[in-house]
Structures are given as structure tokens and as C-alpha cells.
Amino acid sequence: MRATPMPELVERAAAQPSALDAAEVLAAPGPVKVIAEVKRKSPSKGELAGIPDPAALAAAYEAGGASVISVLTEQRRFGGSLADLDAVRERVSIPLLRKDFVVTEYQVLEARAHGADVVLLIVAALPGNQLRDLFQQVLDLGMTALVEVHDETEALRAADLGARVIGVNARNLKTLEVDPSVFGRVAAHLPDTAVKVAESGITGPGDVAGYVADGARAVLVGETLVKQSSPAAAVGWLRGLSAQEAV
Ligand SMILES: O=P(O)(O)OC[C@@H](O)[C@@H](O)c1c[nH]c2ccccc12
């Protein structure tokens, strides 16, 4: 696909309705929040689910009580696209996260132009001023950054930025192994004011409850949700809610 010229992207971003405040949504009182992911495959697990209709899956997540939808737009390793983001944006009214390896201003603007409210910024992938510059751009566009960290040093960089939403990824980017003990260790270095999100390898309500006990306000779940026959019910199940309480 040919890249959209920058001026056109600026115009498209400006024509979007204002970004939704995902930080506020995630910080709202009540049971743990779920960021539900549209994810077809991954480098660690290969093919997860075909997802012929990503908008239908996202609508099910929303109906089941998800607070934010994460859409992987990376093509090669995750099988996603900006077309998935567009389709999901048309269908759901809750905040949308563009999940990709975002390293340029172009990608941030592209996220907004396609209706995203949140952009993932991976601290490990953004040395020096690059993290600060992209973070500022996200704020300037009225969006929220989900700043992802893996260890204590990265946690301090995220805290220094003043990030309102910080994700701790339990999956080691080099080995691709998940270590659930990472969250508690790293979260202890994050400010109370930030919404803490536990990411990766969550298989059921037991995992979620463990993370909540360690200070998580939200969980980001892909694989476990895309494999369910009823993704709507699965969102409530992860939150530890009965069918009546779930929505
Ligand atoms: O499918 P899981 O194990 O529930 O993981 C979801 C999410 O945490 C994972 O997709 C993820 C977290 N950070 C990322 C950065 C890039 C790509 C993917 C990710």
C-alpha cells in the first residue's frame, strides 16, 4: 500500500472527532478494566485466530464490558492492518488503541487519522529524546499514550515523562517468554497517579486477580480472548464478574 502523503494525513487527523480520554476511562472506579485485543497471530505463538470480521469481534468485546479495544496494525508478525483499525472504529464507541511498533511521528499521526485514541509507546524501542518527542506529539493530538515498560529502569523513564497510563509487559521482548512476577516487581517503581496495566500471558480470572492485588487497574489481553467462542462473555469472566454484573 502506498503511504498517504503527510499533509493529507494532517488533514484527515484534523477531521476526526476529538480523541476519547482513555486514561479517564481506565482510572474510573469499579472492577478491573479490560483492554481487549484484536490479534490474529504473534511471533511467540504463530496463528491464534482467523478473525475474518475484526469489527464484529470488537463489538463483542464492547458488549461484554471491555473498556478499551486494542487493534494490532502490524502486518508481518501479527497479521493486522490499518484497515482493521478503520473497521473497528466504525463499529465501537469506546477508546481504541493502535498497537504497533510506533517509532515515527508519521505513525502517531496515522493512528489519529484512522480514529485511534491511544498509541502504544514501547520504552525499550525509543531511545533518548525519541520517547519524549513522540509522547509529546501524542498529547498534542489529544490522545493518550500507553507507555510500555519491562523493567525498573524503563519504569523510571515512563514515570519521568509523567505518563498517565503505564503498561508492564510480562513478555520478555528478546526471549518472548512470559514471567508473571515482572508486574509486581516493576509496578512498585511506578507512581500511584499512573494507571497500571498488566500485559501479556493472561489466561483467566486467577491471573487477573493476582495482578489486581499487585496494583493493576487494567489488564491487556489478546490470545485468551481471541480463542473464546464467546468473547463477550469472556471479558466478564476475566473480570471475575457474574453474567448480571458484567456489562
Ligand atoms: O496475547 P496476550 O499474551 O494476551 O498479549 C497481549 C498483549 O500484551 C501483547 O499483544 C503485546 C504487548 N505489548 C506488545 C507490543 C507489540 C506487540 C504485541 C504486544
Side-chain angles (χ1 to χ4, degrees):
M1 206 172 56
R2 209 166 47 83
T4 307
M6 194 74 158
E8 198 179 317
L9 214 51
V10 170
E11 228 169 84
R12 276 200 218 171
Q16 290 289 326
S18 304
L20 302 168
D21 189 342
E24 191 178 282
V25 168
L26 293 171
V32 60
K33 307 292 194 285
V34 170
I35 304 176
E37 188 155 279
V38 176
K39 182 181 193 181
R40 291 197 181 84
K41 57 180 189 174
S42 73
S44 54
K45 297 286 179 75
E47 199 73 25
L48 300 172
I51 317 184
D53 188 346
L57 177 61
Y61 287 156
E62 182 178 35
S67 295
V68 173
I69 308 287
S70 166
V71 181
L72 268 155
T73 59
E74 201 274 345
Q75 179 93 52
R76 194 166 58 85
R77 285 162 286 184
F78 294 89
S81 67
L82 284 170
D84 287 350
L85 189 60
D86 291 339
V88 171
R89 179 71 293 168
E90 284 223 342
R91 191 76 75 86
V92 306
S93 52
I94 55 179
L96 269 194
L97 161 68
R98 178 192 188 177
K99 180 78 100 61
D100 209 322
F101 298 95
V102 170
V103 290
T104 63
E105 287 191 15
Y106 186 90
Q107 290 171 297
V108 172
L109 191 61
E110 196 173 49
R112 187 79 277 271
H114 288 264
D117 308 288
V118 190
V119 173
L120 179 75
L121 296 179
I122 303 172
V123 170
L126 298 168
N129 286 337
Q130 218 180 336
L131 175 64
R132 193 165 286 282
D133 291 349
L134 292 182
F135 181 76
Q136 191 54 51
Q137 188 200 359
V138 170
L139 297 192
D140 291 345
L141 287 166
M143 292 191 284
T144 303
L146 169 58
V147 179
E148 179 176 298
V149 302
H150 301 84
D151 60 28
E152 289 84 342
T153 314
E154 291 177 13
L156 291 179
R157 285 186 69 203
D160 265 359
L161 279 182
R164 291 165 74 202
V165 184
I166 302 176
V168 179
N169 193 353
R171 180 169 284 117
N172 183 306
L173 285 186
K174 292 187 188 90
T175 64
L176 301 181
E177 294 291 319
V178 169
D179 175 358
S181 74
V182 169
F183 181 84
R185 220 167 43 237
V186 175
H189 296 265
L190 296 174
D192 290 340
T193 47
V195 170
K196 293 167 203 144
V197 183
E199 301 179 0
S200 300
I202 291 163
T203 59
D207 294 342
V208 176
Y211 285 135
V212 169
D214 281 343
R217 183 90 274 280
V219 290
L220 200 166
V221 187
E223 180 179 352
T224 295
L225 285 174
V226 299
K227 287 186 162 170
Q228 300 292 325
S229 54
S230 173
V235 173
W237 167 73
L238 281 177
R239 301 174 80 200
L241 305 179
S242 68
Q244 290 83 357
E245 294 169 306
V247 193

